[in-house]
Amino acid sequence: MDTKKLNSNIQFLRGISVIIVFFFHFNTKVFNTFFVGVDIFFLLSGFVITSSIYKKNKFNFFNFLLRRIKRIYPNLILILFVFFIIFFYFYRDYTDDYINNFFSIIFSLLGLSNIYYSLNPTLFYFNEEIRWLIHTWSLSIEIQYYILFGLISLFFFKLKKNQKINKDLIKKIIILISIISFLLFTFTDIKFISDYYSLPARLWEFMLGSLLYFIYREKKYAFAEVFLFFIFLLSFLNFLILDYKLVIIFTLLSIFLILLYSKEIQLNMITRPIMYIGKISFSFYLWHLILISIFKDHFSSEIANFLIIFVLTIISSYFSYNLVETKFNKKFSIDLKLEKLIKVFSVLFIILFFY
């Protein structure tokens, strides 16, 4: 596997994804299909997470969760805290948004904001004005995916250790999940199961990334039938699919194929600035909608609005990436104790969930 070239291509696509999401949130009417940047993120995340788990011969579920927590929460807590101070001090007249933003903060920290937005019909992602923290729905989807895929991988490694498994089982599981999720996404619109904010309808996007990893690692293209399934399905049934779903499907298939043949395609020939944005993309994504909500329409022209907010997002992302994200995303001497703490909280959570 040409890891260096592939990683640079992924970084480039991350940069492109977060930039087009910025365009979408800045003006949803003009850039009305650019929401698909989030879906590209999901595919890339599926690849990266699968790679981080399956390039090794053993898997520690609680260490995996700890690394994900250290990757996400320091930055998230900082940015939500800054937003909390700014909003509740400077936007006292926005009383209609107080409750929504308060609960958005709480549910974002719990990794459940997508469920909160599903419950609240006034916070649909395609409303005319997307504001404040509504973009955190995708972060909650990511967190839920980490837990679910981590548990699936834990089960796989336990079976593998007991020699009850062949090496293709995990790929068969991934394909099965992909097909079920894709069918839910395509043909239903059930709250919490297949609506826009739901994890089950998004799993196929992550699983495409997982399949890409296995195909690329093993240099086997035997999973092309998965694409044939998608294409066959679309060719006969695309008139039944909502427009935004078609945009997502065709975009992700295109990205999958681009990455699949990334040996021949070098995406970062002109792209140092975009690759840097890809590097800080998590911070960029967390900051951008908050800054758009605060500064939109504060300046004389639309172009000035766009450029100033974009630059402010880059600057904020630079500082939070370097001062918070990279500082916490390392190994610490207390990591083993934190893993034990996660185990305790996991048991308590399971008990409370069933209660």
Side-chain angles (χ1 to χ4, degrees):
M1 183 187 296
D2 190 346
T3 306
K4 186 176 180 180
K5 182 181 286 188
L6 182 63
N7 288 342
S8 65
N9 287 344
I10 287 174
Q11 207 77 298
F12 170 75
L13 287 172
R14 276 179 172 161
I16 290 292
S17 301
V18 80
I19 289 169
I20 65 175
V21 169
F22 183 94
F23 274 88
F24 175 68
H25 286 153
F26 185 81
N27 193 322
T28 57
K29 291 181 180 178
V30 175
F31 305 106
N32 60 1
T33 61
F34 280 28
F35 61 85
V36 79
V38 172
D39 303 278
I40 297 171
F41 264 118
F42 289 161
L43 186 150
L44 297 176
S45 182
F47 181 92
V48 171
I49 294 301
T50 306
S51 172
S52 71
I53 294 173
Y54 288 91
K55 68 183 179 183
K56 303 172 184 175
N57 292 320
K58 58 182 180 179
F59 176 61
N60 183 327
F61 175 67
F62 294 103
N63 179 263
F64 168 74
L65 286 186
L66 176 62
R67 285 187 285 117
R68 293 296 93 205
I69 289 169
K70 287 164 62 176
R71 172 78 172 84
I72 291 172
Y73 274 93
N75 221 1
L76 178 64
I77 290 168
L78 168 71
I79 292 169
L80 290 179
F81 177 75
V82 171
F83 168 75
F84 180 86
I85 298 299
I86 292 173
F87 181 80
F88 288 98
Y89 186 80
F90 291 104
Y91 290 83
R92 295 174 182 173
D93 295 334
Y94 286 63
T95 52
D96 291 343
D97 289 337
Y98 271 30
I99 292 176
N100 283 335
N101 282 333
F102 175 77
F103 281 107
S104 291
I105 291 171
I106 298 300
F107 280 92
S108 295
L109 292 170
L110 293 173
L112 298 171
S113 60
N114 61 316
I115 294 175
Y116 171 64
Y117 296 135
S118 285
L119 287 168
N120 194 329
T122 64
L123 295 174
F124 186 51
Y125 198 58
F126 291 104
N127 287 346
E128 284 190 11
E129 190 175 19
I130 298 174
R131 295 178 63 86
W132 307 118
L133 298 173
I134 198 168
H135 63 312
T136 60
W137 74 271
S138 62
L139 182 59
S140 292
I141 291 278
E142 288 263 0
I143 292 169
Q144 293 159 25
Y145 159 73
Y146 296 153
I147 295 170
L148 177 62
F149 195 68
L151 289 172
I152 291 170
S153 299
L154 177 64
F155 174 73
F156 171 80
F157 276 93
K158 290 289 185 183
L159 288 178
K160 185 178 178 182
K161 187 176 180 180
N162 294 327
Q163 296 182 335
K164 296 178 180 177
I165 192 170
N166 66 66
K167 64 179 182 179
D168 291 328
L169 178 60
I170 187 63
K171 288 174 278 188
K172 293 174 182 175
I173 292 172
I174 287 169
I175 290 174
L176 179 62
I177 293 172
S178 298
I179 292 172
I180 293 171
S181 172
F182 183 78
L183 290 172
L184 287 173
F185 174 77
T186 307
F187 298 112
T188 63
D189 196 19
I190 306 168
K191 191 173 286 294
F192 308 126
I193 300 298
S194 59
D195 64 3
Y196 188 82
Y197 293 125
S198 76
L199 175 66
R202 297 291 178 167
L203 278 174
W204 70 275
E205 302 179 11
F206 293 101
M207 295 305 168
L208 277 183
S210 298
L211 284 175
L212 181 66
Y213 168 75
F214 286 114
I215 293 170
Y216 207 82
R217 184 186 73 173
E218 299 171 6
K219 299 179 181 178
K220 293 179 180 178
Y221 293 78
F223 297 116
E225 61 265 22
V226 177
F227 280 104
L228 293 176
F229 166 78
F230 286 140
I231 293 167
F232 175 83
L233 201 62
L234 288 173
S235 63
F236 285 95
L237 300 169
N238 58 22
F239 61 89
L240 297 175
I241 302 174
L242 296 175
D243 288 344
Y244 82 84
K245 294 186 177 182
L246 274 177
V247 173
I248 290 171
I249 291 165
F250 284 117
T251 301
L252 291 194
L253 290 178
S254 301
I255 295 297
F256 185 102
L257 290 171
I258 288 170
L259 284 172
L260 190 63
Y261 295 102
S262 58
K263 279 186 177 181
E264 288 75 32
I265 302 171
Q266 187 63 38
L267 298 178
N268 61 329
M269 291 182 290
I270 55 168
T271 59
R272 284 189 179 274
I274 294 175
M275 287 185 68
Y276 183 75
I277 293 173
K279 183 179 178 181
I280 63 171
S281 58
F282 178 57
S283 292
F284 188 102
Y285 185 78
L286 288 177
W287 277 116
H288 83 282
L289 186 55
I290 294 171
L291 294 174
I292 288 172
S293 300
I294 292 171
F295 292 106
K296 184 79 181 290
D297 302 325
H298 272 52
F299 306 101
S300 56
S301 72
E302 190 82 349
I303 294 175
N305 271 317
F306 179 88
L307 291 176
I308 291 170
I309 296 170
F310 191 83
V311 171
L312 286 174
T313 304
I314 294 286
I315 294 170
S316 302
S317 304
Y318 170 82
F319 283 108
S320 62
Y321 174 80
N322 287 289
L323 298 179
V324 179
E325 194 173 332
T326 55
K327 300 293 183 184
F328 284 90
N329 197 22
K330 297 177 181 177
K331 288 185 178 181
F332 296 102
S333 57
I334 62 168
D335 279 0
L336 288 175
K337 292 180 180 179
L338 291 173
E339 281 183 40
K340 292 178 182 178
L341 192 63
I342 291 172
K343 290 180 183 179
V344 172
F345 276 110
S346 298
V347 172
L348 289 174
F349 175 80
I350 292 169
I351 292 170
L352 287 172
F353 177 80
F354 282 104
Y355 177 77

